[in-house]
Amino acid sequence: MRSLGAQLPANIRLGTSSWSFPGWRGIVWDDDYSDTKLSRQGLSAYARHPVLRCVGIDRSFYKPMSIVEYQKYAQQVPDDFRFLVKAPSVVTDALVRGEKGEGLRANPCFLDARIATEQFVAPCLAGLGPKAGVLVFQVSPLPNELLRDVPGLIQRIEAFFAALPPLRSGPIAAAHGNPLPGPCYALEIRDGALLTPRLMRALGQMGVRYCIGLHARMPHVERQAAALAMLDEAGAGPLVVRWNLNSAHRYEQAKAKYAPFDRIVDPDPLTRDVLASLATHYALAGHPVYVIVNNKAEGSSPLSCGALAERIVELTRGG
């Protein structure tokens, strides 16, 4: 595995959506890791893995995190490690939801740039510093009344990103003359109706990346990649991918089937090949690549990352 990591292009960062899984013994952990040990030492052990160069922070989706919490994460990883951080649902979900996820009423904070800045962007950047790779705004499944006016919804999304603080580096800053790589904003959606040329043009003009989100609710990766190519007509930037879920399952079904996440249960070589080709294409063009894999994609996200890395190395060698 160490040899594989050394052969992987330096601008490709593969990682998992979290690191709190005792079942990864012999894959990521060299010993038994209890929940307590994972909480205290898991991230630093994860960051020593030669292939896993980034990781997702999902807990920020459920509750905003403080600067100190982000700082504690940053202190546990090397300088070239990066985080892909999800924005809180308080600004990315159009509905206020109950304990079982049911929509209760309209969320007055949906796409509120002031709240997003104060509760997410500012503490995330201050705490993680240059280790903040991607700030992902994953818009939860939308109610039908909003989807009936997709152009109006895209205007709201455009206004939201325009009101966020510009990043000192990354695609947004590059559009203003700063070419240094660094944190970027990305949008992930869960409604295929939003995947339109109008959305791609809007994101491209602002330097916001479209996050390819592989999920049962979304079109196949190839269609999303075609949409991303349209965005890149305005100027390419980092490739951001979240391989969330096997398309044949719902989240809870996959979780029950794949636990304890110590082996690949449902291999998906087609998706893997498409992602490896995309990653290789962007990396060879000089762009950063972030691919985050969930255990619910194939059964074990670190093993999926290893298989992706093998295919990418083959492709970079002309295989």
Side-chain angles (χ1 to χ4, degrees):
M1 190 64 73
R2 190 164 301 280
S3 173
L4 180 62
Q7 297 174 72
L8 197 63
N11 54 343
I12 293 183
R13 290 183 170 87
L14 308 179
T16 67
S17 58
S18 182
W19 60 89
S20 303
F21 302 100
W24 289 354
R25 181 183 180 184
I27 304 171
V28 178
W29 323 126
D30 57 7
D31 197 358
D32 286 328
Y33 270 65
S34 63
D35 289 339
T36 300
K37 188 173 182 179
L38 282 171
S39 176
R40 294 175 179 173
Q41 304 175 31
L43 180 56
S44 57
Y46 172 101
R48 291 193 293 271
H49 191 284
V51 169
L52 304 177
R53 300 173 179 170
C54 68
V55 75
I57 298 179
D58 279 1
R59 57 172 286 210
S60 52
F61 178 77
Y62 303 99
K63 182 181 178 181
M65 292 171 52
S66 68
I67 293 176
V68 172
E69 289 175 306
Y70 284 119
Q71 285 175 334
K72 288 180 179 178
Y73 284 160
Q75 291 165 0
Q76 298 177 59
V77 300
D79 289 344
D80 61 350
F81 192 90
R82 294 292 181 269
F83 292 91
L84 188 146
V85 195
K86 286 178 65 174
S89 63
V90 67
V91 294
T92 61
D93 196 334
L95 299 174
V96 174
R97 299 185 183 272
E99 293 182 359
K100 297 181 180 180
E102 72 278 16
L104 300 178
R105 60 186 179 277
N107 175 13
C109 303
F110 179 53
L111 297 180
D112 187 313
R114 180 187 61 81
I115 294 175
T117 299
E118 293 176 356
Q119 298 191 16
F120 176 56
V121 177
C124 177
L125 294 179
L128 295 181
K131 297 175 185 177
V134 188
L135 281 63
V136 176
F137 293 83
Q138 179 222 297
V139 176
S140 300
L142 293 161
N144 290 332
E145 53 265 32
L146 287 179
L147 291 174
R148 281 195 286 267
D149 182 15
V150 169
L153 184 57
I154 292 174
Q155 284 185 333
R156 289 185 65 181
I157 292 172
E158 188 173 4
F160 170 76
F161 280 110
L164 292 181
L167 301 177
R168 291 190 299 272
S169 54
I172 291 178
H176 294 82
N178 183 352
L180 296 176
C184 68
Y185 294 133
L187 173 70
E188 181 181 352
I189 58 178
R190 289 287 169 85
D191 291 285
L194 274 176
L195 195 64
T196 64
R198 182 167 183 166
L199 176 65
M200 295 301 112
R201 285 195 298 270
L203 296 180
Q205 289 167 2
M206 294 183 294
V208 176
R209 300 304 294 164
Y210 172 72
C211 173
I212 294 179
L214 305 190
H215 192 278
R217 291 185 57 93
M218 288 299 294
H220 192 265
V221 58
E222 291 169 318
R223 182 182 164 193
Q224 294 189 60
L228 179 62
M230 183 179 299
L231 181 154
D232 283 341
E233 291 175 0
L239 173 67
V240 184
V241 177
R242 293 205 324 125
W243 189 2
N244 299 294
L245 182 64
N246 185 294
S247 60
H249 299 301
R250 294 184 178 181
Y251 183 88
E252 292 300 328
Q253 290 174 325
K255 182 177 179 180
K257 182 178 181 181
Y258 298 154
F261 314 118
D262 57 353
R263 61 192 179 93
I264 290 181
V265 179
D266 288 323
D268 188 353
L270 176 60
T271 298
R272 229 184 285 153
D273 281 351
V274 173
L275 293 182
S277 295
L278 276 172
T280 303
H281 171 75
Y282 277 81
L284 293 179
H287 301 295
V289 172
Y290 303 91
V291 180
I292 294 290
V293 186
N294 195 295
N295 281 323
K296 288 81 179 177
E298 295 184 297
S300 177
S301 49
L303 291 179
S304 295
C305 286
L308 264 173
E310 290 177 357
R311 183 62 182 136
I312 290 168
V313 169
E314 289 177 3
L315 292 171
T316 55
R317 290 176 169 179

